[in-house]
Amino acid sequence: MTPSIQSFKKNYTTADHYDAILIGSGMGSLTAAAMLAKEGQQVLVLERHYTAGGFTHIFKRRGYEWDVGIHYIGEVQRPNSVIRRLFDYVTDGELKWADMGDVYDRVVVGDKIYDFVKGVEEFKKSLVAHFPEEEEAIEEYVNLVFAANRTARNFYMEKAMPTLARALAGNYLRKPYLKFAQQTTQEVLGGLTSNKELIKVLTAQYGDYGLPPRQSSFVMHAAVARHYFSGGSFPIGGSSQIVETIAPVLSKTDSTILISAEVREVLVEKNKAIGVEMKDGTKFFADRVISGAGIFTTYQKLLPAASVQKHKLNDQLTKVQPSVSHACLYMGLNGTPEELQLPKANYWIYPEEGEHDDIVNRFLDDINAPLPVVYVSFPAAKDPDWSNRYPGKSTIDIITLLPYEEVAKWESTKWKKRGETYDDFKEAMAQRLMEALFRLEPQLRGKVDYYELSTPLTTKHFVNYERGEIYGLDHSPDRFQHKFLRPATPIKNFFLTGQDIVTAGVGAALFSGLLTASAITKKNLVERLFQE
Ligand SMILES: Cc1cc2nc3c(=O)[nH]c(=O)nc-3n(C[C@H](O)[C@H](O)[C@H](O)COP(=O)(O)OP(=O)(O)OC[C@H]3O[C@@H](n4cnc5c(N)ncnc54)[C@H](O)[C@@H]3O)c2cc1C
């Protein structure tokens, strides 16, 4: 049997022909791959990075390990939630989760602290304690979050339906969700309360999808808020456990993940995808090709120009925007999470004055203005297996928004050799982020053993998003109107998967894989999840 994770740089074994080739090994691709394998298909996953997982990959440096794109996942605490069922299905139940406890997010506005507490009633109670005069608005807010989410399933399942069924029932299935989607988060919340502090707190998780309330669609806000109402969880053993537990499922049909394997072009003949050509000229063939590399990368870099022109795919790209980009400070500290008194809850730290949109705009005008958001995550404290793997150590990640334009001047330089001015720029940002942390956790001063800052150029280098965007497409009201964000494309046997066809978030990307596998097999694979 072929080992399921192999390197394209070493001796690898592949088949002559596959049922499906997947470009990229993000959550969407891995899920689609596992679901197709479970339907008996042999698949080949091609990942350009030297490690698999897309944003769920980890990296190691100086005896530490960091997760890149997972800080907490909701809904996996509920055994019957679709997300938990899906994770169990694609990993044969091998992926285990650790609950973060009662408080999953801690919002800091100036000197005030607001906790987001697990459980809807507790969540409401905790907020009402801060805003007693707003009890009705908080109640109504939670009702609207649930109402918006109730309309989501039909909207997303419609994307996987065959053309005729979509033509007949599509508008009916999409309409209720679109009613919520076309409003901004600010419009909806502004209709409930005029209390700006309450709106600022309720929308504190906007960093989870990148757009502040006046720009984001309410459905995106509602999806994230609802996702975490039952608390946050972290994969035991770290994010790498996702690909580690999916790989054995793939190996059952002799399917393979090839790493360090960059696809140059999708091979299209007579408007039909037949395989891919790699950067070194190697070709792989399959009955169908699925791209989970993001719609911009797929259309601008991977499809032949003739196909893009024929179907006017560039017109689609003018209708959507890349999402935000970020800087992340990866810190290694001396001491166990207990010794350092690290919390499990994430911090969302905001300047005291102003609404989120104004604070962001001020920062975009001048990055020396106060940081618009500082998000702090304590992965070592969340993973009960951490100290077995890394005794006596801890890690912390600190994130803020950082526009691509701020680093564009170094885009032609090479990773790790970008020069002194880039290093100085990074060091200044690293110090600002650390100071924000020390203000809340002063005991950590003097405990830092190692740190390293990533910028949008790092994201571009490792995950191939052209503007270093972290959430694929922007979650504006417009985004949700576009019918082309779905698995099927005008090119026969060529499909999309990943965050761009659903939304950002590991759970959403997971669901995108289910949609793509359903569209390919023409089966309602949701049923599979509840059969076993
Ligand atoms: C900093 C950060 C923090 C986050 N935190 C959370 C969180 O706490 N909880 C949560 O739910 N979500 C979080 N997310 C979002 C979540 O990680 C993503 O939405 C999700 O993982 C995206 O999955 P995807 O399937 O779209 O693929 P991606 O992860 O985007 O992967 C795409 C893959 O395609 C590969 N690729 C591109 N071009 C090629 C090519 N030519 N050939 C071969 N391979 C190619 C890339 O290398 C990459 O591996 C976070 C994201 C980031 C960046």
Side-chain angles (χ1 to χ4, degrees):
M1 190 173 281
T2 317
S4 52
I5 304 182
Q6 305 183 67
S7 173
F8 189 53
K9 285 188 176 159
K10 299 195 187 124
N11 290 336
Y12 61 90
T13 348
T14 45
D16 292 338
H17 193 95
Y18 284 88
D19 292 308
I21 286 174
L22 293 107
I23 306 172
S25 65
M27 195 69 255
S29 292
L30 288 178
T31 307
M35 298 209 75
L36 292 174
K38 287 211 163 204
E39 296 300 305
Q41 298 200 12
Q42 188 182 19
V43 307
L44 175 65
V45 180
L46 299 167
E47 170 54 57
R48 72 189 273 284
H49 196 359
Y50 60 73
T51 180
F55 278 125
T56 70
H57 80 266
I58 55 147
F59 70 97
K60 297 183 183 182
R61 210 91 80 217
R62 310 259 185 107
Y64 294 92
E65 168 187 315
W66 292 273
D67 315 84
V68 173
I70 292 195
H71 300 111
Y72 60 152
I73 310 268
E75 296 176 71
V76 289
Q77 303 84 347
R78 293 191 287 116
N80 274 328
S81 70
V82 172
I83 288 186
R84 177 58 189 267
R85 288 277 176 161
L86 249 173
F87 268 123
D88 284 351
Y89 187 69
V90 297
T91 66
D92 277 347
E94 291 299 318
L95 183 64
K96 307 289 182 213
W97 297 96
D99 194 313
M100 285 166 63
D102 286 343
V103 180
Y104 50 98
D105 279 322
R106 178 156 285 173
V107 179
V108 183
V109 181
D111 289 330
K112 288 192 223 120
I113 292 186
Y114 305 88
D115 282 346
F116 280 22
V117 184
K118 176 165 109 176
V120 186
E121 291 312 315
E122 287 70 17
F123 173 86
K124 288 192 275 190
K125 224 185 277 169
S126 152
L127 280 175
V128 171
H130 289 286
F131 302 97
E133 69 292 355
E134 296 291 337
E135 187 168 358
E136 214 176 298
I138 292 167
E139 187 69 39
E140 189 50 22
Y141 162 76
V142 170
N143 291 342
L144 278 176
V145 165
F146 277 106
N149 279 291
R150 272 195 297 273
T151 64
R153 189 168 163 155
N154 281 351
F155 177 85
Y156 287 108
M157 290 310 290
E158 188 266 353
K159 289 175 184 269
M161 283 166 48
T163 317
L164 183 63
R166 284 200 359 262
L168 292 173
N171 285 345
Y172 170 77
L173 295 172
R174 286 165 55 85
K175 209 169 159 191
Y177 187 77
L178 288 177
K179 221 176 100 201
F180 288 106
Q182 70 200 17
Q183 301 174 74
T184 65
T185 308
Q186 179 66 39
E187 280 164 356
V188 174
L189 270 66
L192 301 175
T193 176
S194 53
N195 187 322
K196 290 187 175 160
E197 180 87 352
L198 175 60
I199 293 180
K200 192 167 176 176
V201 173
L202 288 175
T203 55
Q205 295 164 317
Y206 84 81
D208 279 335
Y209 47 90
L211 277 184
R214 270 184 245 146
Q215 296 177 54
S216 59
S217 165
F218 178 65
V219 287
M220 189 61 213
H221 169 83
V224 168
R226 164 83 183 81
H227 181 62
Y228 293 115
F229 274 164
S230 41
S233 289
F234 195 76
I236 298 178
S239 308
S240 61
Q241 288 309 300
I242 292 182
V243 67
E244 293 296 331
T245 51
I246 289 178
V249 173
L250 297 185
S251 67
K252 287 183 189 163
T253 55
D254 243 351
S255 296
T256 295
I257 301 171
L258 269 190
I259 51 172
S260 302
E262 178 161 0
V263 173
R264 182 165 63 200
E265 192 167 77
V266 178
L267 300 171
V268 179
E269 263 180 25
K270 295 189 184 145
N271 198 38
K272 199 195 256 185
I274 56 160
V276 297
E277 181 173 331
M278 308 300 288
K279 217 175 153 194
D280 73 348
T282 306
K283 290 180 181 168
F284 293 112
F285 295 95
D287 288 346
R288 54 195 69 83
V289 177
I290 303 158
S291 176
I295 190 168
F296 273 101
T297 300
T298 304
Y299 289 179
Q300 289 177 338
K301 296 186 190 166
L302 299 178
L303 281 176
S307 301
V308 173
Q309 251 170 12
K310 178 178 164 78
H311 300 292
K312 300 194 171 68
L313 298 178
N314 276 335
D315 288 358
Q316 295 185 3
L317 298 184
T318 61
K319 294 177 181 149
V320 285
Q321 298 292 323
S323 67
V324 290
S325 48
H326 80 318
C328 181
L329 185 68
Y330 297 96
M331 298 170 68
L333 296 94
N334 291 317
T336 64
E338 294 76 23
E339 286 163 354
L340 298 175
Q341 300 160 48
L342 301 185
K344 290 182 181 169
N346 310 305
Y347 284 132
W348 293 97
I349 309 170
Y350 292 104
E352 187 167 10
E353 296 300 323
E355 298 175 27
H356 291 309
D357 286 83
D358 299 329
I359 294 171
V360 170
N361 289 338
R362 199 166 63 197
F363 179 73
L364 294 181
D365 285 346
D366 172 11
I367 67 156
N368 295 313
L371 296 170
V373 48
V374 177
Y375 172 80
V376 190
S377 172
F378 304 91
K382 296 175 194 176
D383 177 7
D385 190 44
W386 170 265
S387 289
N388 299 330
R389 297 184 294 133
Y390 297 97
K393 296 171 183 220
S394 293
T395 52
I396 298 177
D397 307 335
I398 317 182
I399 293 179
T400 194
L401 302 180
L402 184 59
Y404 184 80
E405 292 70 30
E406 293 296 333
V407 291
K409 55 176 171 279
W410 294 289
E411 68 186 355
S412 55
T413 59
K414 287 215 157 67
W415 181 57
K416 285 204 164 178
K417 292 181 190 144
R418 301 198 194 278
E420 213 174 298
T421 51
Y422 179 72
D423 293 342
D424 291 347
F425 172 83
K426 290 209 313 177
E427 178 58 20
M429 182 57 84
Q431 292 302 331
R432 289 176 77 182
L433 293 171
M434 264 189 280
E435 280 311 311
L437 169 70
F438 294 151
R439 188 171 77 83
L440 292 167
E441 301 289 349
Q443 78 282 8
L444 300 179
R445 239 181 240 283
K447 296 291 191 313
V448 181
D449 175 39
Y450 179 74
Y451 62 88
E452 181 173 330
L453 188 97
S454 76
T455 74
L457 291 180
T458 323
T459 309
K460 179 175 173 169
H461 176 78
F462 286 112
V463 203
N464 208 17
Y465 283 95
E466 191 56 25
R467 309 281 300 168
E469 61 268 33
I470 54 173
Y471 295 137
L473 306 176
D474 248 354
H475 301 85
S476 63
D478 261 6
R479 174 219 174 111
F480 295 92
Q481 314 297 323
H482 302 308
K483 291 185 180 170
F484 55 82
L485 299 176
R486 62 189 169 95
T489 70
I491 300 165
K492 234 178 146 215
N493 297 345
F494 183 68
F495 295 84
L496 302 173
T497 197
Q499 58 189 352
D500 286 355
I501 64 161
V502 178
T503 66
V506 171
L510 185 82
F511 193 68
S512 76
L514 169 94
L515 290 183
T516 304
S518 298
I520 287 171
T521 57
K522 299 193 171 54
K523 293 177 186 166
N524 179 356
L525 293 178
V526 176
E527 282 171 8
R528 292 276 190 284
L529 311 181
F530 293 90
Q531 272 165 6
E532 297 202 346

